Amino acid sequence: PAPSWSSTAWLPSSRRRAISVAAIAFGSLPAAALLLAAPVAAHGPPPPDAPTLANLALGWTFEPFVAVPLALLAIGWLVMVDRIDRAHPGSPVPIRRTVAFMAGLATIAFALMSGVERYDTTLFSVHMVEHLLLMLLAAPLIALAAPITQVLRVASPRVRQRWTGSPAAELIFPASRSAACSTAKSSSPQ
């Protein structure tokens, strides 16, 4: 019977030995590269001092592309809450919503302008802490403030009608619209 193509029995023994040596050499190259690799910086040289709790908490930098929008959002929120409280004295915006919104903005500022930002491009662990602060702390805090509800409360009735009675409402309130539709379908006579 003829040897199969997956076998090397049809090759002379010297060729089989050369192929084996080449396979071992090429297979060990990635391992050697990993062992001999030098540490690399993600986006530039590392800061001169090692990260400490004091560096991370007190090593703030002023980033205008972060600080200005955060300040404008904080001022806008306070103005909006003041307008809502004056327009609806019977149901003012709860203080906990303003605290949640401001805490969310403060978390964003801490993640993007404190010492965390200073080391985020050189240490993967600090970079991931930055992600966690933004996703697991800042985002839920801002969501707890219910900013869309507050914007609708401060908006004119015409704008509210346009937002809640249009296809845009599907994008803004998908869960509540779906629940309302399913409730209406289940309560309709068969």
Side-chain angles (χ1 to χ4, degrees):
S4 76
W5 288 101
S6 62
S7 164
T8 58
W10 58 275
L11 287 173
S13 63
S14 61
R15 287 277 191 177
R16 280 188 295 220
R17 198 169 329 137
I19 290 173
S20 298
V21 169
I24 291 171
F26 285 124
S28 61
L29 280 177
L34 286 175
L35 291 173
L36 300 174
V40 295
H43 297 285
D49 47 346
T52 63
L53 189 58
N55 286 353
L56 293 175
L58 304 173
W60 287 73
T61 58
F62 179 74
E63 299 286 339
F65 289 115
V66 176
V68 170
L70 289 177
L72 291 174
L73 282 170
I75 291 167
W77 178 267
L78 294 173
V79 168
M80 181 174 64
V81 166
D82 184 54
R83 285 184 61 190
I84 291 170
D85 289 349
R86 281 190 279 118
H88 306 281
S91 64
V93 176
I95 296 295
R96 68 180 179 270
R97 290 194 177 180
T98 297
V99 169
F101 191 80
M102 295 301 167
L105 294 182
T107 303
I108 293 171
F110 181 76
L112 300 180
M113 294 192 303
S114 73
V116 172
E117 181 272 334
R118 185 174 173 198
Y119 291 96
D120 72 344
T121 58
T122 56
L123 292 174
F124 183 71
S125 59
V126 176
H127 180 78
M128 293 314 297
V129 166
E130 188 176 48
H131 280 282
L132 292 173
L133 284 170
L134 293 172
M135 292 185 300
L136 298 179
L137 197 56
L141 283 170
I142 291 174
L144 282 173
I148 293 176
T149 303
Q150 307 317 317
V151 168
L152 286 173
R153 287 184 74 192
V154 80
S156 68
R158 193 184 79 193
V159 170
R160 275 195 302 268
Q161 178 60 36
R162 194 171 353 149
W163 275 24
T164 58
S166 72
E170 289 297 328
L171 296 174
I172 300 170
F173 313 105
S176 61
R177 297 287 287 196
S178 297
C181 289
S182 65
T183 305
K185 287 178 185 175
S186 65
S187 64
S188 63
Q190 298 291 330

